[in-house]
Structures are given as C-alpha cells and as structure tokens.
C-alpha cells in the first residue's frame, strides 16, 4: 500500500504561500536552551528524511496512512507544546540573522508537512502555530526594539558628539563674526570721530567762503560770498548781473597790492592765487576805453563810462584844460539835475559837486553858465555829449606806468587803444603804434619793445625800459598784450601748447575782442534798462568857505 505524500517542492510551495507574511514579521529569533535546540534538530532531521523519500502517485491503503500519522504525531509532539511550558527567550542576540532565518524556515517546513500528513488535527495545529507565531512576533519585536535602541544609542552618540562639535564651531564662528562686527563698528566710530576732527581742516572746501566787496563806479558797494577757489570770472559775472550790464567786455575788476600798485583780476584764474590778503576788496572800473563811445549800444554802458571818466578827471588821471573842465562839468549837471531852475539852483548849488582836482570859484561860475545853455537835453543825451568831448583828450583811456629810460630819466609808459606812449613831465615825447611794434617782452625788471625799421633804416631796433621791479615789468607786459589783442585782433590768440622746457610766459588774453563785442552788441534785443543816476561825489565844504 502506498500513501499520498506531498513532494518536497509542494511543501515548499505551501510554506511559501502560508508563511511569507509571517516570515517577514519574524526577522530574527533569540537563542533557545540547549534541550530545545536538540529536540528541534531531531525533528527537523526526521522531517527531512521523510520528505526525501519519493512519493508514488498511486493511492495508498488507509492502514499505512494511520501508521504514518501516528509516527508523525509522535515525532513532533514537542513542537505542539503550549508556550507557557517553554523557557523564556533571552533578549541578547546569540546567533546571527542567517541562522535564525534558517531555523524558522525549517520549522515552518516541518509544521506544514505535519499539517499535510494529519488532516484531522489541522485546527489544533493552526491554533498552536498561531500562538507560536504570535509569541515569536512578540519576542522578535521586543528584540528589534532593543536592537534599534542599541543602534540608535550607538548612532546618536557620535551624532550627539558631532552636534556638540558643530555647536562649538557655530559658537566660535558667531564669536568671530561678533568680533568682526565690533571691529567694523569701532572702525566706523573711529572714522566718524576722525571726520569731525578733520572737518575744521577740510571744511574750507565745503563751507569756506570768502566775502568779496566790490566798490562800484557810483560809490556804492556790492558784497557777495564766494568760494575761495572761485575764478575771477565768477565774481565779474555776478557784478555785471547786479548792474544789469550786457556790454561788459570793456570793464574789469581792480585790486591793489599797495597804495600805488594795482592789478587787473584775471578772469581765467582762481582769485586766491592772485590776491594774497584778506579781505577781498575790488573796484569795478573801465579796462578798455572805447575809442568811439557812440558805438556803444545801451545807455547804461555809456553811463558807467561817464562815471569812470568823471573819476579820472576829478582825481587828475585825465588832465584837462579850464574850458574842458567847465564844459564837461556842465554836462554832468544836466545829466544829474536836469534843466537849470533859478528857484531851485541858486548860486552855491555847484559847490557840492567836484569836477576837477583843483576846483575854483571861477570854474564853478563858468559851469553854471554853461549848464543854462543845455536846456532840453535828456540825461542820455548829456552823457553822449560828455563822452564826445572827453574822447578828444590826449590822455583819454591811457594806462600809465612808472619807468626809466636807458639814461635813467623818469618817464611814464602809457598803454592805450592805439599803442604805447611815452610821457615826460606830463608831455608826450614819443609814440609807438601797434602796427609799428613787432614784439614786446620783459626780463627781470626790464621791458623791451622791438620796433620795425623806419624808411631810411635797414635793421630792427629794440628799445628797453627799466621798471621798479619784476612784477611791475610783467604787469606792463600783460597790459600791452591785452590792449593789443582787444583793439587790434579779430579774435583772441590761443595760448601756446605746452612744450618741454619752454621759456617765457604763456599768458594770453582770453576775453572777447572789440570786434566780437560790437557784433554781440548789435544782437542785443531788449528794452532800455531802467537805472537810477546817482549824483557825482560831493565836496564837503566848511561854512567859512
């Protein structure tokens, strides 16, 4: 008789079907006691022997089946003992994971074989298997927890150590950053403290302004604040704007180094490099006297020219005859007082005005007589008549400089629109027109002019003059350059280009020439500006006369 016994492959398949989930839940088993291990080993060997026998496909007798059932039941009795009879499992890992997995697989195979062989006790076996599986799961979970705890503790310790090191590094970095920030703050504070310390030294650049006073031609003062590095053109433009003057190229600003030495303010240079003393006091004057004042476009320009000429006459810089003094004085009265009125203008009204350096009673009476003849003239017309008579004077527009000739005789060198004039004892002894002069130069305190040869001469001649000092020679040379450029040239010359080891001055006149000024004057298109005419300088006389 033969019995149907499942093949080894079938048993394995069943075990794979029944226990995949359970095997997954049993990762590792704890070590058992030696007795349990021996009983398990014997049972597994017997199960393997029985499974190794080939099973015939034919049907077996029921008697043989009973014998096999009893033998299988007797062999696997220890497997089905209740869990409380077994010894407790230790929580320490005695074997490796591979051994425990093999054991669990063998146990599952034996259980499945026994289940297949004993169909009657399936329910009991299932219950026991479930209880054993539950107990194994419980023990495995507890063991896994211990492993995890031990592993986590082993992992967390270096992690904690790494975290402590990182925290220490972070604290060190934060300290370094704080130190750097403190250093920056200290630097900023130091710079902030240094800056206010430097403010009194560098404040002149921002705050340092110089008050300038300009004495105008009518005797009034104009004051303004300028930066110390401002150029002369800035101040000159402000003064002209204050005066509402457009034809300003004939005028300039003078400053005095001493009572006798005067200098024209160069508009292209900084003021502080030209004037060395404070306060900055200038006078607004006519620099280039127009040869024909009637060509001036606006009345206000002629008015300022009249004021300048009145000062020149009253101070003696422009000498006049008795008749000329009286005539020019009468035009001055007509321009300032209007027509003569016997009720208002009594015999002593002229004594308040100064027309000449040495004004006499006879001159005043003559001025009063001529004033009566100018009835009907407007102030502008009176100014025009004044200029027409003043321009005929021999010293009109002449800038005088003290010098000595080659023989050491005191002379005066005069620069005007026509050329260079030489005076001795107020008399003109020689004249060099601009076309006749080839070159002007100075060396130390000597001033030289190179003159074209005359009709009967073949060679050029150079004439030298001795001036008080080097600065006076340079000042005279500059005045000659400016007058020649303004009156003779159509446009100013460009300064020479800088060369290596060049000798001589590079100064050139940078303003507009007379030709350019006249062109600009023709383009003026505005109504005649209103201005108040101020009376000439009055002379304070005592009551005793």
């Amino acid at each position: 008789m033969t019995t149907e016994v499942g093949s080894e492959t079938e048993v394995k398949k069943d075990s794979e079907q029944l226990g995949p989930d359970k095997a997954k839940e049993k990762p590792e088993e704890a070590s058992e006691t030696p007795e349990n291990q021996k009983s398990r080993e014997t049972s597994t060997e017997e199960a393997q022997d029985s499974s190794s026998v080939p099973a015939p496909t034919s049907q077996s007798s029921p008697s043989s089946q009973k014998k096999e059932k009893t033998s299988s039941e007797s062999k696997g009795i220890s497997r089905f003992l209740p869990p409380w009879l077994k010894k407790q499992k230790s929580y320490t890992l005695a074997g490796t994971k591979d051994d425990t997995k093999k054991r669990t697989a063998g146990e599952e195979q034996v259980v499945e074989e026994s289940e297949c062989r004993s169909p009657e006790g399936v329910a009991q076996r299932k219950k026991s298997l479930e209880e054993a599986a539950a107990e194994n799961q419980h023990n495995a979970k507890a063991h896994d927890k211990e492993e995890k705890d031990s592993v986590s503790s082993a992992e967390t310790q270096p992690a904690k150590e790494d975290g402590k090191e990182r925290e220490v590094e972070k604290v060190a970095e934060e300290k370094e950053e704080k130190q750097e920030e403190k250093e920056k703050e200290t630097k900023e504070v130091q710079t902030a403290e240094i800056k206010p310390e430097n403010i009194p030294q560098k404040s002149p650049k921002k705050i340092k302004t110089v008050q300038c006073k300009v004495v105008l031609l009518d005797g009034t003062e104009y004051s303004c604040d300028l930066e110390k590095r401002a150029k002369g053109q800035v101040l000159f433009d402000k003064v002209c704007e204050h005066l509402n003057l457009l034809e300003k190229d004939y005028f300039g600003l003078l400053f005095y180094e001493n009572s006798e030495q005067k200098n024209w303010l160069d508009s292209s240079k900084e003021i502080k490099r030209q004037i060395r003393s404070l306060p900055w006091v200038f006078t607004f004057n006519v620099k280039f006297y127009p040869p024909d004042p009637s060509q001036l476009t606006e009345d206000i320009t002629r008015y300022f020219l009249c004021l300048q000429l009145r000062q020149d006459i009253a101070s003696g810089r422009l000498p006049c005859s008795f008749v000329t003094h009286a005539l020019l004085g009468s035009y001055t009265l007509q321009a300032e007082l209007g027509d003569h009125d016997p009720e208002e203008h009594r015999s002593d009204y002229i004594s308040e005005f100064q027309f000449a350096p040495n004004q006499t009673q006879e001159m005043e009476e003559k001025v009063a007589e001529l004033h009566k003849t100018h009835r009907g003239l407007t102030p502008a017309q009176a100014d025009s008549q004044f200029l027409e008579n003043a321009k005929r004077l021999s010293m009109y527009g002449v800038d005088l400089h003290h010098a000595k000739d080659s023989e050491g005789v005191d002379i005066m060198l005069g620069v005007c629109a026509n050329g260079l004039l030489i005076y001795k004892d107020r008399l003109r002894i020689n004249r060099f027109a601009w076309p006749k002069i080839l070159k002007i130069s100075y060396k130390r305190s000597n001033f030289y002019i190179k003159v074209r040869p005359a009709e009967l001469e073949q060679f050029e001649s150079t004439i030298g003059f001795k001036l008080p000092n080097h600065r006076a020679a340079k000042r005279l040379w500059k005045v000659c350059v400016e007058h020649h450029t303004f009156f003779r040239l159509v446009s100013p010359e460009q300064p020479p280009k800088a060369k290596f080891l060049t000798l001589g001055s590079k100064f050139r006149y940078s303003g507009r020439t007379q030709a350019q000024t006249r062109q600009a004057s023709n383009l003026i298109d505005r109504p005649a500006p209103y201005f108040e005419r101020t009376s000439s300088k009055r002379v304070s006389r005592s009551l005793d006369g």
Side-chain angles (χ1 to χ4, degrees):
M1 297 295 289
T2 59
T3 57
E4 292 180 358
V5 181
S7 65
E8 187 176 357
T9 57
E10 290 177 353
V11 173
K12 288 180 180 179
K13 287 180 181 178
D14 294 335
S15 65
E16 288 174 359
Q17 290 177 359
L18 291 172
D21 297 332
K22 293 179 180 179
K24 289 179 182 178
E25 293 175 355
K26 299 175 185 178
E28 293 176 355
E29 276 189 272
S31 64
E32 296 179 353
T33 59
E35 294 177 358
N36 292 331
Q37 287 180 359
K38 288 179 182 180
S39 63
R40 286 186 181 181
E41 288 175 359
T42 54
S43 62
T44 52
E45 288 175 357
E46 289 173 358
Q48 288 176 0
D49 294 336
S50 63
S51 62
S52 63
V53 176
T57 58
S58 63
Q59 294 179 356
S60 61
S61 61
S63 63
S64 63
Q65 290 178 357
K66 288 179 182 179
K67 288 178 182 180
E68 288 175 359
K69 286 179 183 178
T70 54
S71 63
S72 63
E73 287 175 358
S74 62
K75 289 178 183 179
I77 289 171
S78 62
R79 302 281 298 182
F80 303 104
L81 292 174
W84 55 272
L85 292 174
K86 296 179 181 180
K87 291 183 180 181
Q88 292 183 354
K89 296 179 181 179
S90 64
Y91 288 99
T92 59
L93 293 173
T96 60
K97 293 181 180 179
D98 294 335
D99 297 335
T100 55
K101 286 180 181 178
K102 288 179 182 179
R103 290 172 186 172
T104 54
E107 289 173 0
E108 287 175 359
Q109 289 176 1
V110 173
V111 170
E112 287 171 358
E113 288 176 357
S114 64
E115 285 176 357
C116 293
R117 291 174 184 175
S118 58
E120 292 178 355
V122 170
Q124 293 178 359
R125 290 171 185 173
K126 284 183 179 180
K127 290 180 180 179
S128 61
L129 286 171
E130 288 175 359
E131 290 176 357
E135 187 177 1
N136 291 332
Q137 287 178 5
H138 179 73
N139 295 329
K141 286 180 181 179
H143 183 66
D144 290 338
K145 286 181 181 179
E146 285 184 353
E147 280 186 346
K148 288 180 182 178
D149 293 335
S150 62
V151 171
S152 63
S153 62
E155 290 177 355
T156 52
Q157 285 179 358
K160 287 180 180 178
E161 292 176 358
D162 294 338
K164 289 180 180 179
E165 292 177 357
R166 290 176 183 174
E167 289 178 358
V168 172
E169 290 177 357
K170 287 181 180 179
V171 171
E173 289 177 357
E174 289 178 357
K175 287 182 179 179
E176 290 178 357
E177 291 177 356
K178 288 180 180 180
Q179 288 179 357
E180 291 177 356
E181 290 178 357
K182 287 181 180 179
E183 290 177 357
K184 289 180 180 179
E185 290 177 357
T186 53
K187 288 180 181 179
E188 291 177 356
V189 170
Q190 288 177 358
T191 53
E193 291 176 356
I194 290 168
K195 285 179 180 178
E197 291 177 0
N198 293 337
I199 283 174
Q201 298 177 358
K202 296 183 178 180
S203 58
K205 294 181 180 179
K206 296 181 180 179
I207 305 171
K208 197 167 186 179
T209 57
V210 181
Q211 187 176 14
C212 301
K213 290 184 179 180
V214 182
V215 181
L216 304 178
L217 290 169
D218 57 358
T220 60
E221 287 186 0
Y222 168 75
S223 61
C224 64
D225 293 333
L226 286 179
E227 293 183 1
K228 196 169 184 180
R229 293 188 176 183
K231 293 185 177 181
Q233 188 67 39
V234 177
L235 178 60
F236 182 69
D237 290 339
K238 284 191 173 185
V239 174
C240 293
E241 184 180 358
H242 172 72
L243 296 174
N244 198 13
L245 182 65
L246 293 181
E247 296 175 294
K248 55 187 179 182
D249 298 296
Y250 297 98
F251 301 88
L253 295 175
L254 269 177
F255 64 94
Y256 289 85
E257 292 183 358
N258 51 49
S259 59
E260 296 181 356
Q261 195 170 8
K262 63 180 181 180
N263 293 306
W264 289 103
L265 183 67
D266 190 350
S267 59
S268 62
K269 292 183 179 180
E270 293 181 0
I271 299 175
K272 69 174 186 177
R273 294 186 178 181
Q274 302 180 61
I275 185 169
R276 300 179 180 179
S277 60
L278 292 174
W280 288 355
V281 180
F282 303 92
T283 58
F284 183 75
N285 295 97
V286 176
K287 188 175 184 179
F288 305 111
Y289 289 80
D292 189 3
S294 62
Q295 292 184 355
L296 298 175
T297 302
E298 293 190 322
D299 293 338
I300 190 171
T301 310
R302 285 188 286 269
Y303 170 67
F304 288 130
L305 180 58
C306 288
L307 292 178
Q308 180 66 64
L309 290 172
R310 290 173 190 172
Q311 290 183 12
D312 294 342
I313 293 170
S315 62
R317 290 193 300 269
L318 183 58
C320 302
S321 62
F322 177 84
V323 176
T324 306
H325 274 297
L327 182 60
L328 295 177
S330 63
Y331 286 121
T332 301
L333 291 177
Q334 183 65 28
E336 294 186 1
L337 301 179
D339 294 339
H340 180 267
D341 187 357
E343 294 180 357
E344 294 181 1
H345 304 148
R346 299 181 181 180
S347 58
D348 59 347
Y349 76 100
I350 300 176
S351 60
E352 297 179 356
F353 296 89
Q354 184 177 4
F355 306 109
N358 297 319
Q359 188 169 321
T360 61
Q361 186 70 26
E362 184 181 0
M363 185 181 292
E364 292 178 359
E365 292 175 358
K366 186 65 175 178
V367 170
E369 291 178 4
L370 294 174
H371 180 210
K372 296 176 183 178
T373 61
H374 300 325
R375 183 176 294 275
L377 290 178
T378 63
Q381 292 173 348
D383 287 340
S384 297
Q385 292 296 325
F386 180 92
L387 294 175
E388 285 295 323
N389 287 274
K391 73 177 183 180
R392 299 190 183 99
L393 297 174
S394 60
M395 297 288 292
Y396 170 78
V398 177
D399 188 8
L400 295 174
H401 298 261
H402 293 278
K404 292 183 179 182
D405 59 6
S406 58
E407 297 178 356
V409 179
D410 292 334
I411 59 174
M412 298 288 288
L413 296 178
V415 185
C416 65
N418 297 323
L420 187 64
L421 307 177
I422 300 174
Y423 293 91
K424 183 179 179 180
D425 297 331
R426 298 274 181 169
L427 297 174
R428 190 179 71 187
I429 60 175
N430 205 344
R431 176 177 176 269
F432 300 97
W434 294 123
K436 193 176 180 180
I437 299 175
L438 293 174
K439 183 180 178 180
I440 54 176
S441 61
Y442 71 96
K443 185 177 181 181
R444 296 188 181 90
S445 61
N446 297 317
F447 178 77
Y448 302 98
I449 58 172
K450 185 181 286 187
V451 184
R452 294 180 186 272
E455 295 179 357
L456 302 176
E457 295 177 356
Q458 296 180 356
F459 303 101
E460 299 171 351
S461 59
T462 301
I463 303 172
F465 303 93
K466 183 75 173 179
L467 275 81
N469 50 50
H470 168 74
R471 295 178 65 85
K474 184 177 181 179
R475 183 168 56 254
L476 175 59
W477 176 80
K478 279 188 172 183
V479 171
C480 291
V481 171
E482 291 175 339
H483 276 73
H484 177 264
T485 304
F486 183 82
F487 291 107
R488 295 291 298 176
L489 301 183
V490 178
S491 61
E493 294 179 351
Q494 295 296 328
K497 294 181 180 179
K499 295 180 181 179
F500 183 70
L501 295 175
T502 55
L503 299 176
S505 176
K506 300 176 184 178
F507 172 78
R508 294 293 182 273
Y509 174 68
S510 59
R512 291 191 295 189
T513 62
Q514 186 181 25
Q516 292 174 338
T517 301
R518 287 178 179 175
Q519 291 177 359
S521 299
N522 293 330
L523 298 175
I524 293 175
D525 186 13
R526 69 170 181 176
Y530 172 78
F531 59 93
E532 294 182 359
R533 296 174 181 269
T534 58
S535 58
S536 300
K537 291 183 179 179
R538 306 297 176 91
V539 178
S540 60
R541 296 177 182 271
S542 62
L543 297 176
D544 297 337

